[in-house]
């Protein structure tokens, strides 16, 4: 099992990218890469399943190679690392916590893109969205958070 969590601030002048999908929004997530908080949470969960540290250890935000990089590229590198350690990903279950915009219409496409990178059937990649009902920093639209669990087995 692996668990991942991530949180990024919302700012103006950035696209909102979640699970590799660009979602129409007046604000986007800030970060060194494309700040795709969902893809980061899944990557962290994969690393966690094998006790390989966190995403920042593998892709430091001080490294110019990762500036503006698509997080799907990072996820692809992480799943490759998991495979080289002799593990196979079985399934992913992730939740995005966002007040706005409404993510439900985009969830199937996110699952499809993530499944493509992970080389998993799409029915083994669950992407859900929850609204915090106005509570806390996510409710005030200061940021978007994501959580993910993965299960892996020995190849
Ligand atoms: Mg992140």
């Amino acid at each position: 099992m692996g668990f991942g969590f991530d949180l990024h601030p919302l700012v103006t002048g950035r696209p909102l990218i979640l699970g590799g999908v660009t979602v129409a929004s007046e604000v986007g997530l800030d970060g060194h890469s494309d700040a795709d908080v969902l893809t980061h949470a899944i990557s962290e969960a994969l690393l966690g399943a094998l006790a390989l540290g966190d995403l920042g250890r593998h892709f430091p935000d001080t490294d110019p190679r990762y500036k503006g990089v698509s997080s799907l590229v990072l996820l692809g590198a992480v799943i490759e690392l998991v495979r080289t350690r002799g593990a196979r990903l079985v399934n992913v279950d992730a939740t995005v916590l966002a007040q706005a915009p409404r993510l439900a219409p985009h969830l199937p496409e996110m699952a499809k893109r993530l499944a493509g990178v992970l080389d998993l059937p799409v029915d083994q990649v669950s992407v859900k969205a929850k609204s915090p009902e106005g509570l806390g920093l996510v409710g005030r639209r200061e940021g978007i958070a994501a959580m993910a669990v993965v299960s892996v087995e020995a190849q």
Side-chain angles (χ1 to χ4, degrees), residues 18-152:
L18 294 168
V21 175
T22 303
V23 177
S25 171
E26 288 168 6
V27 287
L29 293 171
D30 200 15
H32 185 66
S33 64
D34 64 1
D36 182 339
V37 71
L38 169 59
T39 302
H40 290 183
I42 295 170
S43 302
E44 297 268 6
L46 281 165
L47 292 171
L50 289 149
L52 294 172
D54 60 32
L55 201 56
R57 179 173 130 192
H58 294 269
F59 307 101
D61 64 7
T62 50
D63 190 327
R65 283 182 299 168
Y66 306 125
K67 185 162 172 54
V69 72
S70 165
S71 296
L72 292 182
V73 172
L74 305 184
L75 179 63
V78 168
I79 189 67
E80 197 50 45
L81 183 61
V82 166
R83 289 189 189 114
T84 62
R85 296 295 179 108
R88 187 184 78 84
L89 175 60
V90 178
N91 76 307
V92 176
D93 186 16
T95 297
V96 182
L97 189 62
Q99 185 64 41
R102 195 166 169 271
L103 299 178
H106 304 284
L107 299 178
E109 183 62 24
M110 291 177 200
K112 192 173 147 193
R113 298 239 179 141
L114 293 163
V117 173
L118 296 168
D119 197 23
L120 272 187
V122 76
D123 63 0
Q124 283 160 247
V125 179
S126 160
V127 181
K128 312 186 295 297
K130 293 295 284 184
S131 160
E133 311 286 350
L135 291 172
L137 69 91
V138 175
R140 293 189 296 271
R141 303 185 186 186
E142 294 170 13
I144 290 178
M147 288 139 273
V149 290
V150 299
S151 63
V152 300

